[in-house]
Amino acid sequence: MALVTSQEMFKKAYEGKYAVGAFNVNNMEIIQGIVEAAKQENAPLILQVSAGARKYANPIYLRKLVEAAIEDTGLDICLHLDHGEDFEICKQCVDDGFTSVMIDGSKYPFEENIALTKKVVEYAHSKGVVVEAELGKLAGVEDAIKVKSKDATYTDPDEAVEFVERTGVDSLAIAIGTSHGAYKFKGEPTLDFERLETITRLLPGFPLVLHGASSVPAEFVQLCNKYGGQIPGAAGVPEEMLRRAAQLGVCKINIDTDLRLALTACIRQFFVEHPSEFDPRKYLGPGRTAIKDMVAHKMRNVLGCSNKR
Ligand code: G3H
Ligand code: 13P
Ligand code: ZN
C-alpha cells in the first residue's frame, strides 16, 4: 500500500485491453466514495487533482486525505495533477509527493508544447514521477478555460509520434471528439476511432489518455432536473464507446462530470425530501455513497478494470 506511479497500471491495462479510471477529487467525501469503490471492485486507481481543486481545498488537505485513504484501505493509489498549465505547478506537485503530473501544453503551438513538456519530463523523471501531456485540443469547459467547438482540433497521428519521441513523455492525452463538461455533443455522439486506431498502430504499447469521458447518464440529469435543477441539453460519451476506446490503447479514462452529477442529484433530492434537515452529514453521507456507486459502475461495466489490481 503506497502512492505509486501509473507505469505498472498502464502496462497491465494495455495488455489486458482495459482502462484505469482517473477520477477528480475535491473533498473528503469524494475521495472516500471513490476509494471505497476501488476497494470493493479490487481495481487500480488514479486520483487526480486540478488547479481548481488545489485552490478550493488547499493542496495539503487533499494530499493528506489521499495518504489517509491509502492507510485506511491498503490500496495502491496514483496521485496525479490534472491539467497542469505551467512548469511551476508541475514542479510543486512533484515536490509535494504526487506520483504523476500532467503538463497541458495543448493550447501552445507544437514546438512550444514540446519544449514545455520536455522541461517537465526532465524534472519529473529526475524525481521518479511520470508525466502525461496533451496534443490536440478538446472543446468544453475546465476551470476558467473555455474552448469553443470551432477551436477544438483533433490529434494528428504523425505529430503524436514525433511528440512522444522528442519529449520522452509517459502517456499522451489525445483529442478524438470528446470534450469536458456536460454538453459534449449537439447531435449524434461520434468519436474518431479511425484516428485512435492509427495513433495506436503508430505508437504500439504506448498508453493513451482520454479526457472528457463522462457519459452524463440521462437518469442523473433527470433526477437533478426533477428536484429543481436546470441542466437542459446535456449529452455525454456513450459507455460502449469508452469500452471500445479502452480496447484500442486508451489506458486512462478521465471522469469528473459524472461524479458531480451523481453527488448533486443526490443532494438536490435530499433537500426537497427533507426541507427541515440541516445536518451536513445527512446529505454528504448519501452523496458519498452516490459517488461510490457511480465509480463502481464505471470500473465494472465501462472501464473493465474490476479485479485487475
Ligand atoms: O478537466 C477538468 C476537470 O473536470 C476538473 O475540473 O478544473 O473545475 O476542477 P476543475
Ligand atoms: P469530464 O468533464 O467528461 O468528466 O472530463 C473530466 C476530465 O477530462 C478531467 O481531466
Ligand atoms: Zn481533462
Side-chain angles (χ1 to χ4, degrees), residues 16-296:
K17 293 185 183 298
Y18 62 87
V20 180
F23 303 97
N24 286 75
V25 297
N26 295 280
N27 70 8
M28 184 184 77
E29 284 77 8
I30 295 175
I31 291 174
Q32 288 177 332
I34 298 169
V35 296
E36 277 175 27
K39 192 168 165 100
Q40 175 189 293
E41 295 300 313
N42 194 25
L45 179 62
I46 299 172
L47 293 179
Q48 54 187 17
V49 174
S50 69
R54 279 165 60 85
K55 203 164 145 200
Y56 169 77
N58 182 341
I60 191 163
Y61 285 84
L62 293 177
R63 189 159 48 81
K64 293 290 177 193
L65 283 167
V66 173
E67 284 171 14
I70 290 172
E71 200 175 317
D72 180 40
T73 59
L75 290 175
D76 285 339
I77 295 177
C78 172
L79 179 58
H80 174 75
L81 167 68
D82 192 26
H83 292 284
E85 65 164 5
D86 53 32
F87 175 78
E88 284 65 36
I89 190 170
C90 292
K91 179 177 183 303
Q92 227 171 69
C93 287
V94 169
D95 294 346
D96 277 355
F98 279 52
T99 46
S100 174
V101 292
M102 175 188 190
I103 175 66
D104 182 357
S106 60
K107 62 176 182 283
Y108 297 116
F110 188 60
E111 288 297 331
E112 274 176 59
N113 190 357
I114 286 190
L116 177 61
T117 301
K118 223 172 141 187
K119 189 174 170 191
V120 172
V121 167
E122 273 162 22
Y123 186 74
H125 281 185
S126 76
K127 308 280 180 186
V129 171
V130 294
V131 181
E132 171 186 328
E134 181 165 328
L135 187 64
K137 216 178 279 171
L138 266 69
V141 191
E142 98 214 18
D143 224 352
I145 305 163
K146 193 168 178 186
V147 181
K148 295 207 176 101
S149 348
K150 72 171 176 46
D151 297 323
T153 38
Y154 285 7
T155 307
D156 178 275
D158 294 320
E159 280 191 356
V161 175
E162 186 181 343
F163 189 92
V164 167
E165 278 172 6
R166 287 178 57 195
T167 58
V169 79
D170 302 281
S171 61
L172 185 68
I174 54 165
I176 56 166
T178 60
S179 63
H180 291 106
Y183 306 93
K184 300 189 194 295
F185 302 101
K186 289 213 172 73
E188 268 303 292
T190 46
L191 295 187
D192 191 343
F193 283 107
E194 215 176 299
R195 187 177 297 268
L196 172 57
E197 281 182 277
T198 308
I199 298 171
T200 302
R201 183 166 40 78
L202 295 177
L203 286 169
F206 186 80
L208 300 173
V209 179
L210 205 58
H211 283 245
S214 279
S215 296
V216 192
E219 66 263 37
F220 289 89
V221 176
Q222 282 158 12
L223 206 57
C224 278
N225 290 346
K226 178 175 170 194
Y227 293 105
Q230 290 182 11
I231 319 178
V237 185
E239 291 181 338
E240 60 275 14
M241 290 192 184
L242 297 172
R243 272 197 292 275
R244 191 168 161 202
Q247 285 165 354
L248 291 173
V250 169
C251 294
K252 172 174 179 270
I253 290 191
N254 284 13
I255 296 170
D256 185 10
T257 297
D258 283 351
L259 307 192
R260 296 178 179 195
L261 273 173
L263 181 61
T264 303
C266 179
I267 292 175
R268 275 193 180 282
Q269 178 172 6
F270 178 87
F271 280 130
V272 171
E273 290 175 356
H274 305 87
S276 58
E277 189 58 71
F278 53 87
D279 178 346
R281 295 169 296 190
K282 294 274 168 55
Y283 52 89
L284 291 177
R288 177 171 57 195
T289 306
I291 298 261
K292 178 188 173 187
D293 293 346
M294 175 65 81
V295 171

